PDB file of all heavy atoms in Angstrom:
ATOM      1  N   GLY A   1     -25.622   0.453   1.201  1.00  0.00           N
ATOM      2  CA  GLY A   1     -26.199   1.094   0.029  1.00  0.00           C
ATOM      3  C   GLY A   1     -25.127   1.742  -0.822  1.00  0.00           C
ATOM      4  O   GLY A   1     -24.867   1.320  -1.937  1.00  0.00           O
ATOM      5  N   ALA A   2     -24.473   2.780  -0.310  1.00  0.00           N
ATOM      6  CA  ALA A   2     -23.380   3.433  -1.031  1.00  0.00           C
ATOM      7  C   ALA A   2     -22.077   2.695  -0.732  1.00  0.00           C
ATOM      8  O   ALA A   2     -21.695   2.556   0.427  1.00  0.00           O
ATOM      9  CB  ALA A   2     -23.266   4.887  -0.613  1.00  0.00           C
ATOM     10  N   PRO A   3     -21.376   2.197  -1.746  1.00  0.00           N
ATOM     11  CA  PRO A   3     -20.157   1.417  -1.515  1.00  0.00           C
ATOM     12  C   PRO A   3     -19.002   2.284  -1.021  1.00  0.00           C
ATOM     13  O   PRO A   3     -18.922   3.470  -1.341  1.00  0.00           O
ATOM     14  CB  PRO A   3     -19.843   0.829  -2.892  1.00  0.00           C
ATOM     15  CG  PRO A   3     -20.431   1.821  -3.852  1.00  0.00           C
ATOM     16  CD  PRO A   3     -21.684   2.326  -3.176  1.00  0.00           C
ATOM     17  N   ASP A   4     -18.131   1.684  -0.238  1.00  0.00           N
ATOM     18  CA  ASP A   4     -16.940   2.386   0.247  1.00  0.00           C
ATOM     19  C   ASP A   4     -15.800   2.286  -0.768  1.00  0.00           C
ATOM     20  O   ASP A   4     -15.733   1.347  -1.557  1.00  0.00           O
ATOM     21  CB  ASP A   4     -16.448   1.772   1.567  1.00  0.00           C
ATOM     22  CG  ASP A   4     -17.308   2.179   2.754  1.00  0.00           C
ATOM     23  OD1 ASP A   4     -17.991   3.208   2.672  1.00  0.00           O
ATOM     24  OD2 ASP A   4     -17.284   1.458   3.762  1.00  0.00           O
ATOM     25  N   PHE A   5     -14.908   3.266  -0.691  1.00  0.00           N
ATOM     26  CA  PHE A   5     -13.655   3.213  -1.440  1.00  0.00           C
ATOM     27  C   PHE A   5     -12.559   2.674  -0.522  1.00  0.00           C
ATOM     28  O   PHE A   5     -12.481   3.060   0.650  1.00  0.00           O
ATOM     29  CB  PHE A   5     -13.230   4.611  -1.912  1.00  0.00           C
ATOM     30  CG  PHE A   5     -13.895   5.071  -3.172  1.00  0.00           C
ATOM     31  CD1 PHE A   5     -15.027   5.866  -3.128  1.00  0.00           C
ATOM     32  CD2 PHE A   5     -13.374   4.724  -4.420  1.00  0.00           C
ATOM     33  CE1 PHE A   5     -15.646   6.299  -4.297  1.00  0.00           C
ATOM     34  CE2 PHE A   5     -13.974   5.154  -5.591  1.00  0.00           C
ATOM     35  CZ  PHE A   5     -15.116   5.942  -5.534  1.00  0.00           C
ATOM     36  N   ASP A   6     -11.730   1.783  -1.042  1.00  0.00           N
ATOM     37  CA  ASP A   6     -10.527   1.319  -0.350  1.00  0.00           C
ATOM     38  C   ASP A   6      -9.318   1.837  -1.115  1.00  0.00           C
ATOM     39  O   ASP A   6      -9.136   1.501  -2.285  1.00  0.00           O
ATOM     40  CB  ASP A   6     -10.459  -0.219  -0.317  1.00  0.00           C
ATOM     41  CG  ASP A   6     -11.589  -0.834   0.490  1.00  0.00           C
ATOM     42  OD1 ASP A   6     -12.145  -0.128   1.346  1.00  0.00           O
ATOM     43  OD2 ASP A   6     -11.916  -2.007   0.254  1.00  0.00           O
ATOM     44  N   ASN A   7      -8.485   2.646  -0.471  1.00  0.00           N
ATOM     45  CA  ASN A   7      -7.265   3.156  -1.089  1.00  0.00           C
ATOM     46  C   ASN A   7      -6.062   2.507  -0.416  1.00  0.00           C
ATOM     47  O   ASN A   7      -5.983   2.483   0.810  1.00  0.00           O
ATOM     48  CB  ASN A   7      -7.173   4.678  -0.931  1.00  0.00           C
ATOM     49  CG  ASN A   7      -8.381   5.382  -1.522  1.00  0.00           C
ATOM     50  OD1 ASN A   7      -8.798   5.097  -2.645  1.00  0.00           O
ATOM     51  ND2 ASN A   7      -8.968   6.308  -0.775  1.00  0.00           N
ATOM     52  N   VAL A   8      -5.144   1.989  -1.213  1.00  0.00           N
ATOM     53  CA  VAL A   8      -4.015   1.244  -0.663  1.00  0.00           C
ATOM     54  C   VAL A   8      -2.702   1.965  -0.974  1.00  0.00           C
ATOM     55  O   VAL A   8      -2.451   2.346  -2.126  1.00  0.00           O
ATOM     56  CB  VAL A   8      -3.960  -0.189  -1.220  1.00  0.00           C
ATOM     57  CG1 VAL A   8      -2.813  -0.973  -0.581  1.00  0.00           C
ATOM     58  CG2 VAL A   8      -5.288  -0.902  -0.976  1.00  0.00           C
ATOM     59  N   PHE A   9      -1.868   2.116   0.071  1.00  0.00           N
ATOM     60  CA  PHE A   9      -0.562   2.749  -0.047  1.00  0.00           C
ATOM     61  C   PHE A   9       0.487   1.831   0.583  1.00  0.00           C
ATOM     62  O   PHE A   9       0.178   1.049   1.484  1.00  0.00           O
ATOM     63  CB  PHE A   9      -0.534   4.100   0.677  1.00  0.00           C
ATOM     64  CG  PHE A   9      -1.626   5.054   0.262  1.00  0.00           C
ATOM     65  CD1 PHE A   9      -2.898   4.982   0.830  1.00  0.00           C
ATOM     66  CD2 PHE A   9      -1.384   6.031  -0.691  1.00  0.00           C
ATOM     67  CE1 PHE A   9      -3.913   5.852   0.453  1.00  0.00           C
ATOM     68  CE2 PHE A   9      -2.394   6.915  -1.075  1.00  0.00           C
ATOM     69  CZ  PHE A   9      -3.658   6.828  -0.497  1.00  0.00           C
ATOM     70  N   VAL A  10       1.734   1.934   0.138  1.00  0.00           N
ATOM     71  CA  VAL A  10       2.815   1.144   0.723  1.00  0.00           C
ATOM     72  C   VAL A  10       4.042   2.034   0.905  1.00  0.00           C
ATOM     73  O   VAL A  10       4.240   2.996   0.153  1.00  0.00           O
ATOM     74  CB  VAL A  10       3.162  -0.080  -0.168  1.00  0.00           C
ATOM     75  CG1 VAL A  10       3.786   0.358  -1.497  1.00  0.00           C
ATOM     76  CG2 VAL A  10       4.070  -1.056   0.562  1.00  0.00           C
ATOM     77  N   THR A  11       4.849   1.734   1.905  1.00  0.00           N
ATOM     78  CA  THR A  11       6.036   2.545   2.167  1.00  0.00           C
ATOM     79  C   THR A  11       6.980   2.521   0.963  1.00  0.00           C
ATOM     80  O   THR A  11       7.052   1.538   0.225  1.00  0.00           O
ATOM     81  CB  THR A  11       6.777   2.025   3.413  1.00  0.00           C
ATOM     82  OG1 THR A  11       6.999   0.618   3.277  1.00  0.00           O
ATOM     83  CG2 THR A  11       5.964   2.284   4.672  1.00  0.00           C
ATOM     84  N   ARG A  12       7.702   3.598   0.793  1.00  0.00           N
ATOM     85  CA  ARG A  12       8.561   3.752  -0.377  1.00  0.00           C
ATOM     86  C   ARG A  12       9.669   2.695  -0.438  1.00  0.00           C
ATOM     87  O   ARG A  12       9.956   2.133  -1.500  1.00  0.00           O
ATOM     88  CB  ARG A  12       9.179   5.158  -0.394  1.00  0.00           C
ATOM     89  CG  ARG A  12       8.151   6.249  -0.617  1.00  0.00           C
ATOM     90  CD  ARG A  12       8.748   7.641  -0.549  1.00  0.00           C
ATOM     91  NE  ARG A  12       7.739   8.652  -0.800  1.00  0.00           N
ATOM     92  CZ  ARG A  12       7.386   9.062  -2.019  1.00  0.00           C
ATOM     93  NH1 ARG A  12       7.974   8.538  -3.081  1.00  0.00           N
ATOM     94  NH2 ARG A  12       6.455   9.992  -2.172  1.00  0.00           N
ATOM     95  N   ARG A  13      10.280   2.425   0.698  1.00  0.00           N
ATOM     96  CA  ARG A  13      11.364   1.442   0.709  1.00  0.00           C
ATOM     97  C   ARG A  13      10.848   0.065   0.319  1.00  0.00           C
ATOM     98  O   ARG A  13      11.479  -0.657  -0.451  1.00  0.00           O
ATOM     99  CB  ARG A  13      12.008   1.375   2.105  1.00  0.00           C
ATOM    100  CG  ARG A  13      13.216   0.444   2.185  1.00  0.00           C
ATOM    101  CD  ARG A  13      13.750   0.366   3.612  1.00  0.00           C
ATOM    102  NE  ARG A  13      12.859  -0.367   4.492  1.00  0.00           N
ATOM    103  CZ  ARG A  13      12.903  -1.703   4.641  1.00  0.00           C
ATOM    104  NH1 ARG A  13      13.777  -2.418   3.969  1.00  0.00           N
ATOM    105  NH2 ARG A  13      12.055  -2.303   5.470  1.00  0.00           N
ATOM    106  N   ALA A  14       9.673  -0.301   0.831  1.00  0.00           N
ATOM    107  CA  ALA A  14       9.083  -1.598   0.505  1.00  0.00           C
ATOM    108  C   ALA A  14       8.723  -1.677  -0.977  1.00  0.00           C
ATOM    109  O   ALA A  14       8.915  -2.714  -1.619  1.00  0.00           O
ATOM    110  CB  ALA A  14       7.849  -1.843   1.366  1.00  0.00           C
ATOM    111  N   TYR A  15       8.216  -0.589  -1.513  1.00  0.00           N
ATOM    112  CA  TYR A  15       7.844  -0.557  -2.932  1.00  0.00           C
ATOM    113  C   TYR A  15       9.067  -0.770  -3.822  1.00  0.00           C
ATOM    114  O   TYR A  15       9.039  -1.566  -4.767  1.00  0.00           O
ATOM    115  CB  TYR A  15       7.182   0.781  -3.249  1.00  0.00           C
ATOM    116  CG  TYR A  15       6.782   0.955  -4.693  1.00  0.00           C
ATOM    117  CD1 TYR A  15       5.639   0.337  -5.206  1.00  0.00           C
ATOM    118  CD2 TYR A  15       7.541   1.748  -5.551  1.00  0.00           C
ATOM    119  CE1 TYR A  15       5.265   0.508  -6.526  1.00  0.00           C
ATOM    120  CE2 TYR A  15       7.172   1.919  -6.875  1.00  0.00           C
ATOM    121  CZ  TYR A  15       6.044   1.288  -7.365  1.00  0.00           C
ATOM    122  OH  TYR A  15       5.681   1.457  -8.679  1.00  0.00           O
ATOM    123  N   ARG A  16      10.147  -0.077  -3.507  1.00  0.00           N
ATOM    124  CA  ARG A  16      11.367  -0.231  -4.311  1.00  0.00           C
ATOM    125  C   ARG A  16      11.894  -1.660  -4.226  1.00  0.00           C
ATOM    126  O   ARG A  16      12.351  -2.228  -5.225  1.00  0.00           O
ATOM    127  CB  ARG A  16      12.427   0.778  -3.848  1.00  0.00           C
ATOM    128  CG  ARG A  16      12.113   2.220  -4.231  1.00  0.00           C
ATOM    129  CD  ARG A  16      13.311   3.129  -4.023  1.00  0.00           C
ATOM    130  NE  ARG A  16      13.632   3.280  -2.622  1.00  0.00           N
ATOM    131  CZ  ARG A  16      13.186   4.241  -1.838  1.00  0.00           C
ATOM    132  NH1 ARG A  16      12.369   5.161  -2.334  1.00  0.00           N
ATOM    133  NH2 ARG A  16      13.542   4.325  -0.566  1.00  0.00           N
ATOM    134  N   ALA A  17      11.829  -2.240  -3.022  1.00  0.00           N
ATOM    135  CA  ALA A  17      12.294  -3.618  -2.854  1.00  0.00           C
ATOM    136  C   ALA A  17      11.423  -4.590  -3.651  1.00  0.00           C
ATOM    137  O   ALA A  17      11.929  -5.548  -4.238  1.00  0.00           O
ATOM    138  CB  ALA A  17      12.296  -4.001  -1.371  1.00  0.00           C
ATOM    139  N   PHE A  18      10.113  -4.323  -3.680  1.00  0.00           N
ATOM    140  CA  PHE A  18       9.210  -5.199  -4.429  1.00  0.00           C
ATOM    141  C   PHE A  18       9.532  -5.156  -5.924  1.00  0.00           C
ATOM    142  O   PHE A  18       9.509  -6.194  -6.601  1.00  0.00           O
ATOM    143  CB  PHE A  18       7.755  -4.795  -4.200  1.00  0.00           C
ATOM    144  CG  PHE A  18       6.769  -5.809  -4.713  1.00  0.00           C
ATOM    145  CD1 PHE A  18       6.224  -6.748  -3.855  1.00  0.00           C
ATOM    146  CD2 PHE A  18       6.392  -5.836  -6.055  1.00  0.00           C
ATOM    147  CE1 PHE A  18       5.319  -7.700  -4.321  1.00  0.00           C
ATOM    148  CE2 PHE A  18       5.500  -6.782  -6.535  1.00  0.00           C
ATOM    149  CZ  PHE A  18       4.962  -7.720  -5.668  1.00  0.00           C
ATOM    150  N   LEU A  19       9.821  -3.998  -6.435  1.00  0.00           N
ATOM    151  CA  LEU A  19      10.162  -3.888  -7.852  1.00  0.00           C
ATOM    152  C   LEU A  19      11.404  -4.699  -8.192  1.00  0.00           C
ATOM    153  O   LEU A  19      11.539  -5.220  -9.306  1.00  0.00           O
ATOM    154  CB  LEU A  19      10.377  -2.420  -8.240  1.00  0.00           C
ATOM    155  CG  LEU A  19       9.157  -1.495  -8.133  1.00  0.00           C
ATOM    156  CD1 LEU A  19       9.530  -0.095  -8.606  1.00  0.00           C
ATOM    157  CD2 LEU A  19       7.976  -2.040  -8.925  1.00  0.00           C
ATOM    158  N   GLU A  20      12.320  -4.839  -7.244  1.00  0.00           N
ATOM    159  CA  GLU A  20      13.555  -5.578  -7.482  1.00  0.00           C
ATOM    160  C   GLU A  20      13.411  -7.078  -7.258  1.00  0.00           C
ATOM    161  O   GLU A  20      14.058  -7.878  -7.936  1.00  0.00           O
ATOM    162  CB  GLU A  20      14.664  -5.046  -6.562  1.00  0.00           C
ATOM    163  CG  GLU A  20      15.077  -3.610  -6.854  1.00  0.00           C
ATOM    164  CD  GLU A  20      16.142  -3.105  -5.901  1.00  0.00           C
ATOM    165  OE1 GLU A  20      16.589  -3.897  -5.040  1.00  0.00           O
ATOM    166  OE2 GLU A  20      16.524  -1.935  -6.026  1.00  0.00           O
ATOM    167  N   THR A  21      12.562  -7.474  -6.299  1.00  0.00           N
ATOM    168  CA  THR A  21      12.504  -8.878  -5.899  1.00  0.00           C
ATOM    169  C   THR A  21      11.159  -9.557  -6.135  1.00  0.00           C
ATOM    170  O   THR A  21      11.083 -10.788  -6.148  1.00  0.00           O
ATOM    171  CB  THR A  21      12.841  -9.020  -4.407  1.00  0.00           C
ATOM    172  OG1 THR A  21      11.804  -8.387  -3.628  1.00  0.00           O
ATOM    173  CG2 THR A  21      14.175  -8.365  -4.087  1.00  0.00           C
ATOM    174  N   GLY A  22      10.094  -8.779  -6.276  1.00  0.00           N
ATOM    175  CA  GLY A  22       8.771  -9.367  -6.419  1.00  0.00           C
ATOM    176  C   GLY A  22       8.150  -9.799  -5.110  1.00  0.00           C
ATOM    177  O   GLY A  22       7.131 -10.500  -5.093  1.00  0.00           O
ATOM    178  N   THR A  23       8.729  -9.380  -3.991  1.00  0.00           N
ATOM    179  CA  THR A  23       8.162  -9.685  -2.688  1.00  0.00           C
ATOM    180  C   THR A  23       8.459  -8.544  -1.723  1.00  0.00           C
ATOM    181  O   THR A  23       9.158  -7.585  -2.073  1.00  0.00           O
ATOM    182  CB  THR A  23       8.692 -11.029  -2.136  1.00  0.00           C
ATOM    183  OG1 THR A  23       7.919 -11.413  -0.998  1.00  0.00           O
ATOM    184  CG2 THR A  23      10.163 -10.933  -1.784  1.00  0.00           C
ATOM    185  N   TRP A  24       7.920  -8.663  -0.504  1.00  0.00           N
ATOM    186  CA  TRP A  24       8.000  -7.556   0.452  1.00  0.00           C
ATOM    187  C   TRP A  24       9.097  -7.800   1.479  1.00  0.00           C
ATOM    188  O   TRP A  24       9.178  -8.880   2.058  1.00  0.00           O
ATOM    189  CB  TRP A  24       6.669  -7.379   1.180  1.00  0.00           C
ATOM    190  CG  TRP A  24       5.502  -7.147   0.281  1.00  0.00           C
ATOM    191  CD1 TRP A  24       4.467  -8.001   0.039  1.00  0.00           C
ATOM    192  CD2 TRP A  24       5.246  -5.982  -0.512  1.00  0.00           C
ATOM    193  NE1 TRP A  24       3.577  -7.437  -0.843  1.00  0.00           N
ATOM    194  CE2 TRP A  24       4.026  -6.205  -1.200  1.00  0.00           C
ATOM    195  CE3 TRP A  24       5.928  -4.774  -0.712  1.00  0.00           C
ATOM    196  CZ2 TRP A  24       3.473  -5.262  -2.068  1.00  0.00           C
ATOM    197  CZ3 TRP A  24       5.380  -3.839  -1.573  1.00  0.00           C
ATOM    198  CH2 TRP A  24       4.172  -4.079  -2.236  1.00  0.00           C
ATOM    199  N   PRO A  25       9.907  -6.796   1.777  1.00  0.00           N
ATOM    200  CA  PRO A  25      10.954  -6.935   2.795  1.00  0.00           C
ATOM    201  C   PRO A  25      10.390  -6.808   4.205  1.00  0.00           C
ATOM    202  O   PRO A  25       9.246  -6.374   4.393  1.00  0.00           O
ATOM    203  CB  PRO A  25      11.891  -5.757   2.487  1.00  0.00           C
ATOM    204  CG  PRO A  25      10.959  -4.695   1.972  1.00  0.00           C
ATOM    205  CD  PRO A  25       9.924  -5.450   1.157  1.00  0.00           C
ATOM    206  N   ASP A  26      11.179  -7.194   5.178  1.00  0.00           N
ATOM    207  CA  ASP A  26      10.790  -7.001   6.571  1.00  0.00           C
ATOM    208  C   ASP A  26      10.592  -5.513   6.840  1.00  0.00           C
ATOM    209  O   ASP A  26      11.256  -4.667   6.243  1.00  0.00           O
ATOM    210  CB  ASP A  26      11.894  -7.559   7.487  1.00  0.00           C
ATOM    211  CG  ASP A  26      11.428  -7.716   8.923  1.00  0.00           C
ATOM    212  OD1 ASP A  26      10.226  -7.959   9.131  1.00  0.00           O
ATOM    213  OD2 ASP A  26      12.270  -7.587   9.832  1.00  0.00           O
ATOM    214  N   LYS A  27       9.658  -5.191   7.713  1.00  0.00           N
ATOM    215  CA  LYS A  27       9.271  -3.822   8.098  1.00  0.00           C
ATOM    216  C   LYS A  27       8.354  -3.148   7.077  1.00  0.00           C
ATOM    217  O   LYS A  27       8.081  -1.940   7.178  1.00  0.00           O
ATOM    218  CB  LYS A  27      10.486  -2.917   8.352  1.00  0.00           C
ATOM    219  CG  LYS A  27      11.529  -3.486   9.289  1.00  0.00           C
ATOM    220  CD  LYS A  27      10.975  -3.866  10.632  1.00  0.00           C
ATOM    221  CE  LYS A  27      12.078  -4.386  11.558  1.00  0.00           C
ATOM    222  NZ  LYS A  27      11.546  -4.898  12.835  1.00  0.00           N
ATOM    223  N   THR A  28       7.865  -3.901   6.105  1.00  0.00           N
ATOM    224  CA  THR A  28       6.893  -3.349   5.157  1.00  0.00           C
ATOM    225  C   THR A  28       5.619  -2.932   5.884  1.00  0.00           C
ATOM    226  O   THR A  28       5.165  -3.620   6.793  1.00  0.00           O
ATOM    227  CB  THR A  28       6.535  -4.397   4.081  1.00  0.00           C
ATOM    228  OG1 THR A  28       7.656  -4.591   3.218  1.00  0.00           O
ATOM    229  CG2 THR A  28       5.344  -3.957   3.240  1.00  0.00           C
ATOM    230  N   MET A  29       5.036  -1.827   5.463  1.00  0.00           N
ATOM    231  CA  MET A  29       3.702  -1.436   5.913  1.00  0.00           C
ATOM    232  C   MET A  29       2.849  -1.086   4.698  1.00  0.00           C
ATOM    233  O   MET A  29       3.276  -0.321   3.841  1.00  0.00           O
ATOM    234  CB  MET A  29       3.760  -0.226   6.858  1.00  0.00           C
ATOM    235  CG  MET A  29       4.261  -0.533   8.247  1.00  0.00           C
ATOM    236  SD  MET A  29       3.989   0.857   9.407  1.00  0.00           S
ATOM    237  CE  MET A  29       5.140   2.080   8.735  1.00  0.00           C
ATOM    238  N   LEU A  30       1.663  -1.675   4.638  1.00  0.00           N
ATOM    239  CA  LEU A  30       0.660  -1.302   3.656  1.00  0.00           C
ATOM    240  C   LEU A  30      -0.511  -0.668   4.400  1.00  0.00           C
ATOM    241  O   LEU A  30      -0.950  -1.181   5.429  1.00  0.00           O
ATOM    242  CB  LEU A  30       0.170  -2.521   2.875  1.00  0.00           C
ATOM    243  CG  LEU A  30       1.198  -3.165   1.943  1.00  0.00           C
ATOM    244  CD1 LEU A  30       1.669  -4.484   2.524  1.00  0.00           C
ATOM    245  CD2 LEU A  30       0.625  -3.363   0.556  1.00  0.00           C
ATOM    246  N   ALA A  31      -0.982   0.447   3.894  1.00  0.00           N
ATOM    247  CA  ALA A  31      -2.103   1.152   4.518  1.00  0.00           C
ATOM    248  C   ALA A  31      -3.350   0.970   3.676  1.00  0.00           C
ATOM    249  O   ALA A  31      -3.328   1.159   2.456  1.00  0.00           O
ATOM    250  CB  ALA A  31      -1.782   2.639   4.652  1.00  0.00           C
ATOM    251  N   LEU A  32      -4.434   0.581   4.321  1.00  0.00           N
ATOM    252  CA  LEU A  32      -5.740   0.499   3.678  1.00  0.00           C
ATOM    253  C   LEU A  32      -6.602   1.605   4.266  1.00  0.00           C
ATOM    254  O   LEU A  32      -7.007   1.552   5.428  1.00  0.00           O
ATOM    255  CB  LEU A  32      -6.391  -0.858   3.936  1.00  0.00           C
ATOM    256  CG  LEU A  32      -7.821  -1.029   3.409  1.00  0.00           C
ATOM    257  CD1 LEU A  32      -7.828  -1.027   1.880  1.00  0.00           C
ATOM    258  CD2 LEU A  32      -8.450  -2.310   3.936  1.00  0.00           C
ATOM    259  N   GLU A  33      -6.859   2.627   3.468  1.00  0.00           N
ATOM    260  CA  GLU A  33      -7.681   3.760   3.880  1.00  0.00           C
ATOM    261  C   GLU A  33      -9.082   3.567   3.322  1.00  0.00           C
ATOM    262  O   GLU A  33      -9.257   3.396   2.111  1.00  0.00           O
ATOM    263  CB  GLU A  33      -7.075   5.058   3.340  1.00  0.00           C
ATOM    264  CG  GLU A  33      -7.891   6.300   3.667  1.00  0.00           C
ATOM    265  CD  GLU A  33      -7.470   7.491   2.838  1.00  0.00           C
ATOM    266  OE1 GLU A  33      -7.692   7.466   1.608  1.00  0.00           O
ATOM    267  OE2 GLU A  33      -6.916   8.441   3.407  1.00  0.00           O
ATOM    268  N   VAL A  34     -10.072   3.570   4.204  1.00  0.00           N
ATOM    269  CA  VAL A  34     -11.461   3.370   3.788  1.00  0.00           C
ATOM    270  C   VAL A  34     -12.192   4.712   3.831  1.00  0.00           C
ATOM    271  O   VAL A  34     -12.162   5.417   4.847  1.00  0.00           O
ATOM    272  CB  VAL A  34     -12.174   2.350   4.699  1.00  0.00           C
ATOM    273  CG1 VAL A  34     -13.595   2.105   4.208  1.00  0.00           C
ATOM    274  CG2 VAL A  34     -11.388   1.041   4.751  1.00  0.00           C
ATOM    275  N   ARG A  35     -12.835   5.050   2.733  1.00  0.00           N
ATOM    276  CA  ARG A  35     -13.584   6.302   2.644  1.00  0.00           C
ATOM    277  C   ARG A  35     -14.994   6.029   2.115  1.00  0.00           C
ATOM    278  O   ARG A  35     -15.196   5.160   1.265  1.00  0.00           O
ATOM    279  CB  ARG A  35     -12.878   7.313   1.733  1.00  0.00           C
ATOM    280  CG  ARG A  35     -11.630   7.907   2.363  1.00  0.00           C
ATOM    281  CD  ARG A  35     -10.988   8.973   1.486  1.00  0.00           C
ATOM    282  NE  ARG A  35      -9.856   9.581   2.178  1.00  0.00           N
ATOM    283  CZ  ARG A  35      -9.941  10.635   2.987  1.00  0.00           C
ATOM    284  NH1 ARG A  35     -11.116  11.214   3.189  1.00  0.00           N
ATOM    285  NH2 ARG A  35      -8.872  11.119   3.583  1.00  0.00           N
ATOM    286  N   SER A  36     -15.933   6.794   2.615  1.00  0.00           N
ATOM    287  CA  SER A  36     -17.309   6.672   2.123  1.00  0.00           C
ATOM    288  C   SER A  36     -17.402   7.277   0.724  1.00  0.00           C
ATOM    289  O   SER A  36     -16.517   8.026   0.291  1.00  0.00           O
ATOM    290  CB  SER A  36     -18.267   7.393   3.072  1.00  0.00           C
ATOM    291  OG  SER A  36     -17.939   8.768   3.162  1.00  0.00           O
ATOM    292  N   SER A  37     -18.464   6.933   0.030  1.00  0.00           N
ATOM    293  CA  SER A  37     -18.631   7.448  -1.328  1.00  0.00           C
ATOM    294  C   SER A  37     -19.954   8.195  -1.465  1.00  0.00           C
ATOM    295  O   SER A  37     -20.879   8.009  -0.677  1.00  0.00           O
ATOM    296  CB  SER A  37     -18.597   6.299  -2.340  1.00  0.00           C
ATOM    297  OG  SER A  37     -19.765   5.498  -2.246  1.00  0.00           O
ATOM    298  N   ALA A  38     -20.023   9.017  -2.473  1.00  0.00           N
ATOM    299  CA  ALA A  38     -21.254   9.725  -2.825  1.00  0.00           C
ATOM    300  C   ALA A  38     -21.370   9.710  -4.338  1.00  0.00           C
ATOM    301  O   ALA A  38     -20.374   9.533  -5.054  1.00  0.00           O
ATOM    302  CB  ALA A  38     -21.220  11.153  -2.307  1.00  0.00           C
TER     303      ALA A  38
END
């Protein structure tokens, strides 16, 4: 009924590497945080 929120975060080193190369380096972590909504 009430949709969930998905919030996505990525490690700082991986983010900087992506800006330079357009892809993710080894040891990248992306976090998907799921929260209920009201």
Side-chain angles (χ1 to χ4, degrees):
D4 284 338
F5 278 95
D6 296 337
N7 303 312
V8 183
F9 306 84
V10 68
T11 51
R12 293 177 179 275
R13 184 183 71 87
Y15 179 77
R16 288 192 292 267
F18 191 96
L19 296 182
E20 294 178 2
T21 66
T23 191
W24 303 111
D26 194 30
K27 310 304 182 186
T28 290
M29 286 192 292
L30 292 107
L32 175 68
E33 178 195 68
V34 183
R35 287 184 176 271
S36 60
S37 71

